[in-house]
Amino acid sequence: MEIWINPACSKCRSALTLLDAEGADYTVRRYLDDVPSEDEIRAVLERLGLEPWDITRTQEDAAKELNLKDREAWPRDASGRDRWITALAEHPKLIQRPIITADDGTAVVGRTEEAVRDALSR
């Protein structure tokens, strides 16, 4: 399993603490340093079963600068999907964290203990 983290994020640190406590075998990806490509983001979205706007941190400064809350400029449908993915790749701080890719090919956004345990059970 792999976990995408920002070390400054308390939810990420909590997820790592739980993974360690459970003896999980995982690799860490500091996604702000090792930025995922658009194809990697597409693959994670498929594993999550989510759309790019579902994993976007809209309170970040970059989101405000891009005006991501403007639904006319940033449609949340198939017509806007690629643009959202490009924005996530160009501004990785917008990606919700932590994201855990489970061994069964799925993924979860591990913001809660329950979500992290869900990933562990896969």
Side-chain angles (χ1 to χ4, degrees):
M1 108 179 23
E2 181 178 75
I3 181 169
W4 292 9
I5 69 156
N6 173 350
C9 168
S10 63
K11 299 284 186 189
C12 293
R13 292 190 307 270
S14 294
L16 292 173
T17 299
L18 180 55
L19 292 174
D20 289 341
E22 295 296 325
D25 182 24
Y26 65 92
T27 57
V28 170
R29 180 171 185 171
R30 293 179 180 215
Y31 71 94
L32 297 179
D33 300 324
D34 181 9
V35 178
S37 68
E38 290 184 26
D39 286 342
E40 288 175 306
I41 292 169
R42 281 186 186 86
V44 161
L45 287 167
E46 185 173 324
R47 291 175 81 165
L48 287 166
L50 297 173
E51 292 296 338
W53 46 87
D54 296 327
I55 65 162
T56 300
R57 298 173 54 84
T58 58
Q59 297 303 319
E60 292 289 337
D61 289 341
K64 292 172 185 172
E65 290 168 17
L66 292 169
N67 201 23
L68 292 181
K69 289 189 176 183
D70 181 344
R71 290 186 180 246
E72 285 185 38
W74 291 88
R76 295 181 181 204
D77 59 25
S79 71
R81 190 171 201 271
D82 286 340
R83 187 170 177 218
W84 280 87
I85 290 169
T86 298
L88 292 174
E90 290 177 354
H91 306 277
K93 201 167 196 178
L94 295 176
I95 299 171
Q96 190 59 263
R97 58 189 181 249
I99 294 177
I100 304 169
T101 56
D103 292 336
D104 70 351
T106 61
V108 299
V109 178
R111 294 194 56 77
T112 64
E113 181 177 332
E114 294 77 24
V116 176
R117 289 194 182 283
D118 183 34
L120 282 166
S121 72
R122 298 179 186 195

